[in-house]
């Protein structure tokens, strides 16, 4: 099955783009979509730093606060594929403008929300706007940039997508510290205004005119599948993996996912997402790599924040600042990855990145200690940033180049859904491993600690540090036991990550995208799926 498109396809579909953009226009387009993407990414993790403030402001339970945070990601992930496909049909520029408008208005509403109910509704609307924006930003790049510049542009996009969350969290923590939690929404609103102005002026329109009707049933099934599975990953650790709501979500998600695959196979070329393309090495290898790499990155954040705050005693702002070296390394190497792929091939670049990230995990597992502090984990963090940057860009390009030009919104959405699934999976699994390792380790260190205090300490390292205030003479022993047990749990989670990265490395080395003609292959409109089949 070939997805070759005529060389003039981009111009013919270009709508208001009568001629190909020059270098200056391309830079402006890239800046525009990067700012729009940054607004979306920053909002994913921004509210994490204001959980206590939300609970106090709205008189909300911890479960309600978590829903305020997670409902945004749930709505975003669920609607990526359908809205990406709609953008391909209606026009990518109009969809991007509409998404920015929805996202901006919803962010203002969230910042002014008087109740938890209004905040939840505003966050759902933010998620819908984000699902209109995120796939279109990458689709604009793949449908606008010429082949020889596309890899570098995707590298910039990937760097923002990978490191933007950490930068957004730092800026959010800064705003909470120096102002008020409601100022968290000023950042995305400002980014939206800038992106909207630049988009109206600089971003060309492109749209496709498919000969088949929109796959409505496929869109509905994909939405139910994503909602069900993401819900399980978000709520399982809180409600319990065998809780009725968790099991219902799992059943709904798995059933809808199976039905989606069956329906898409039935629809064939008229499908929302041609699942047959996963037989190709590019789409399969790129998707698996993004799933694992973003899962590990998200899981690392789950581990690092308690280490910085509860073990080292740092503030939320200082803890987010401590993650910046990893984010900067990731964003830098994402931009350099296309040059590496041009020299040694996409598969080799991905494999080197995966191996480097795995080494970073191993370094953290080997050297992390309470006494060593930040310097005991910094080398591993830098290696992780380097490895993720090298692996994410060629993986993203492998995914987008596997689908034809008329489905670049869907290709970009698939790339984004994979990232969201990986993030949720990494937080759930590595977080669970850390918690289990902590509980197992601390049980042997609580001898002589009063029963009530010991039970509190078993709940987590932050709980143990808080309980130490009322533990009297046992306080130093309790804090030491909790910190050492956290480090033991850390090692368990990191070694599990090393094992996962090792399996991924073997898979990509053997079954990843081919290295042939790295500088000329893998571009939208030039890619033949059949060439990547085993």
């Amino acid at each position: 099955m070939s997805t070759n498109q005529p060389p003039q396809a981009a111009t013919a579909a270009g709508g208001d783009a009568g001629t190909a953009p020059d270098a200056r226009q391309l830079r402006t387009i890239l800046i525009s979509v990067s700012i729009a993407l940054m607004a979306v990414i920053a909002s994913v993790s921004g509210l994490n730093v204001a959980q206590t403030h939300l609970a106090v402001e709205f008189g909300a339970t911890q479960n309600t606060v978590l829903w305020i945070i997670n409902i945004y990601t749930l709505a975003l992930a669920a609607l990526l594929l359908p809205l990406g496909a709609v953008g391909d049909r209606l026009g990518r520029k109009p969809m991007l403008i509409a998404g920015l408008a929805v996202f901006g208005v919803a962010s203002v509403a969230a910042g002014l929300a008087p109740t938890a109910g209004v905040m939840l509704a505003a966050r759902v609307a933010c998620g819908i706007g984000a699902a209109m924006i995120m796939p279109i930003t990458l689709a604009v790049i793949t449908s606008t940039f010429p082949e020889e510049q596309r890899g570098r542009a995707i590298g910039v996009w990937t760097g923002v997508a990978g490191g933007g969350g950490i930068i957004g969290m730092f800026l959010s923590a800064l705003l909470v510290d120096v102002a008020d939690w409601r100022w968290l929404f000023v950042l995305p609103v400002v980014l939206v205004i800038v992106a909207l102005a630049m988009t109206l002026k600089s971003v060309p329109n492109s749209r496709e005119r498919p000969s088949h009707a929109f796959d409505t049933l496929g869109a509905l099934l994909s939405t139910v599948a994503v909602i069900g599975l993401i819900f399980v990953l978000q709520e399982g650790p809180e409600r319990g993996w065998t809780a009725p709501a968790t099991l219902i979500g799992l059943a709904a998600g798995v059933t809808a996912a199976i039905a989606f695959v069956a329906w898409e196979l039935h629809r064939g070329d008229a499908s929302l997402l041609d699942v047959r393309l996963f037989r190709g090495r590019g789409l399969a290898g790129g998707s698996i790599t993004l799933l694992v790499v973003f899962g590990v990155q998200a899981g690392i954040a789950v581990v690092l924040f308690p280490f910085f705050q509860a073990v080292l005693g740092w503030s939320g702002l200082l803890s987010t600042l401590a993650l910046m070296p990893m984010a900067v390394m990731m964003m830098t190497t994402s931009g350099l990855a296309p040059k590496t792929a041009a020299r040694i091939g996409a598969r080799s670049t991905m494999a080197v990145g995966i191996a480097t990230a795995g080494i970073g995990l191993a370094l953290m597992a080997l050297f992390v200690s309470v006494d060593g502090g930040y310097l005991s984990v910094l080398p591993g963090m830098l290696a992780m940033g380097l490895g993720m940057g090298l692996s994410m860009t060629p993986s993203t390009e492998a995914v987008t180049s596997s689908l034809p030009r008329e489905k670049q919104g869907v290709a970009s959405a698939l790339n984004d859904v994979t990232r969201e699934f990986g993030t949720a999976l990494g937080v759930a699994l590595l977080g669970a491993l850390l918690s289990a390792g902590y509980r197992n380790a601390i049980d042997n260190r609580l001898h002589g600690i009063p029963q009530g205090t010991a039970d509190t300490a078993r709940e987590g390292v932050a709980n143990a540090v808080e309980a130490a205030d009322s533990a009297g003479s046992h306080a130093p022993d309790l804090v030491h036991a909790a910190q050492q047990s956290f480090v033991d749990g850390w090692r368990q989670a990191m070694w599990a990550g090393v094992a996962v990265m090792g399996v991924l490395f073997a898979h990509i080395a053997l079954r990843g995208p081919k290295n042939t003609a790295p500088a000329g292959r893998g571009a939208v409109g030039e890619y033949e799926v059949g060439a990547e089949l085993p």
Side-chain angles (χ1 to χ4, degrees):
M1 183 192 308
S2 174
T3 62
N4 286 349
Q5 305 294 317
Q8 69 272 22
T11 304
D16 58 346
T19 58
D22 58 25
R24 182 179 177 182
Q25 289 174 305
L26 289 174
R27 278 195 304 271
T28 305
I29 292 168
L30 182 57
I31 293 171
S32 302
V33 297
S34 295
I35 292 173
L37 177 64
M38 184 66 189
V40 171
I41 296 297
S43 294
V44 172
S45 55
L47 275 184
N48 282 322
V49 302
Q51 293 188 40
T52 303
H53 301 275
L54 291 171
V56 172
E57 179 81 14
F58 297 128
T61 65
Q62 180 63 21
N63 188 58
T64 300
V65 171
L66 289 176
W67 267 108
I68 289 173
I69 294 171
N70 291 337
I71 196 70
Y72 171 81
T73 306
L74 191 64
L76 166 62
L79 295 174
L80 280 168
L81 276 176
L83 292 180
V86 170
D88 286 335
R89 288 170 173 263
L90 299 184
R92 293 171 184 125
K93 181 173 182 175
M95 178 63 83
L96 181 56
I97 292 171
L100 288 167
V102 171
F103 186 84
V105 171
S107 295
V108 172
L112 300 175
T115 65
V118 174
M119 174 63 85
L120 279 167
R123 290 287 285 173
V124 171
C126 282
I128 295 171
M132 300 168 71
I133 296 169
M134 195 170 183
I136 299 304
T137 57
L138 183 56
V140 166
I141 291 173
T142 56
S143 62
T144 303
F145 277 71
E147 177 185 344
E148 65 274 10
Q149 299 182 51
R150 192 175 299 131
R152 281 178 290 177
I154 290 176
V156 173
W157 185 94
T158 303
V160 173
I166 297 174
I167 295 175
M169 188 177 294
F170 169 71
L171 294 175
S172 297
L174 181 62
L175 286 170
V176 169
D177 274 14
V178 303
D180 182 78
W181 71 267
R182 292 184 181 273
W183 283 82
L184 291 175
F185 297 97
V186 171
L187 173 63
V189 169
V190 170
L191 291 173
V192 161
I193 292 172
V194 174
L196 188 57
M198 296 184 70
T199 297
L200 287 168
K201 181 179 180 181
S202 304
V203 174
N205 190 28
S206 62
R207 57 174 295 195
E208 311 301 335
R209 297 174 176 82
S211 58
H212 52 79
F214 183 73
D215 184 7
T216 304
L217 180 57
L220 291 174
L221 288 172
S222 72
T223 300
V224 174
V226 173
I227 288 176
L229 296 175
I230 293 287
F231 174 85
V232 170
L233 293 173
Q234 288 182 345
E235 295 296 306
E238 295 295 324
R239 296 174 181 261
W241 296 105
T242 58
T246 305
L247 294 177
I248 291 171
L250 179 63
V254 171
T255 301
I258 294 172
F260 174 75
V261 172
W263 175 251
E264 298 305 277
L265 287 172
H266 171 72
R267 289 270 297 184
D269 292 336
S271 60
L272 178 73
L273 172 63
D274 191 348
V275 295
R276 296 172 297 177
L277 297 177
F278 280 97
R279 292 179 298 174
R281 291 188 177 191
L283 186 58
S287 297
I288 292 171
T289 300
L290 289 173
L291 180 77
V292 173
V293 168
F294 269 81
V296 169
Q297 179 196 15
I300 289 298
V302 170
V303 173
L304 282 172
F305 266 99
F307 179 75
F308 294 148
Q309 293 180 298
V311 176
L312 302 185
W314 291 0
S315 66
L317 179 60
L318 186 56
S319 297
T320 54
L321 181 62
L323 291 173
M324 292 298 287
M326 184 170 69
V328 171
M329 180 65 75
M330 188 192 315
M331 297 177 76
T332 302
T333 52
S334 292
L336 297 176
K339 294 182 179 180
T340 306
R343 293 191 185 98
I344 65 175
R347 179 169 60 182
S348 297
T349 303
M350 291 165 65
V352 170
I354 293 163
T356 305
I359 291 171
L361 289 169
L363 288 173
M364 285 191 280
L366 288 170
F367 297 114
V368 62
S369 69
V370 177
D371 296 334
Y374 183 58
L375 292 180
S376 69
V377 299
L378 181 59
M381 290 171 56
L382 293 175
M384 277 290 301
L386 174 63
M388 288 188 292
L390 283 176
S391 59
M392 288 190 301
T393 299
S395 300
T396 298
E397 193 165 8
V399 171
T400 56
S401 64
S402 297
L403 271 73
R405 183 180 301 278
E406 68 269 15
K407 290 196 173 184
Q408 279 306 290
V410 174
S412 304
L414 176 62
N415 174 80
D416 298 332
V417 170
T418 304
R419 291 166 181 263
E420 296 299 329
F421 263 118
T423 297
L425 191 62
V427 169
L429 295 185
L430 287 183
L433 284 171
L434 173 63
S435 298
Y438 170 83
R439 286 193 300 269
N440 292 335
I442 201 170
D443 278 339
N444 297 322
R445 295 188 170 113
L446 294 175
H447 302 298
I449 305 295
Q451 184 64 41
T453 303
D455 289 341
T456 301
R458 289 187 181 94
E459 296 175 4
V461 62
N463 304 80
V465 172
E466 184 176 353
D469 292 337
S470 58
S473 61
H474 297 289
D477 292 336
L478 180 60
V479 171
H480 179 74
Q483 291 175 338
Q484 292 296 334
S485 298
F486 180 88
V487 168
D488 290 344
W490 169 303
R491 290 195 177 101
Q492 178 173 307
M494 292 303 97
W495 285 124
V498 171
V500 171
M501 298 299 276
V503 172
L504 177 62
F505 173 82
H507 173 77
I508 294 301
L510 297 173
R511 304 285 298 172
K514 292 184 178 180
N515 279 331
T516 53
R521 293 290 303 266
V524 177
E526 301 293 334
Y527 183 90
E528 293 187 9
V529 174
E532 290 288 346
L533 293 177

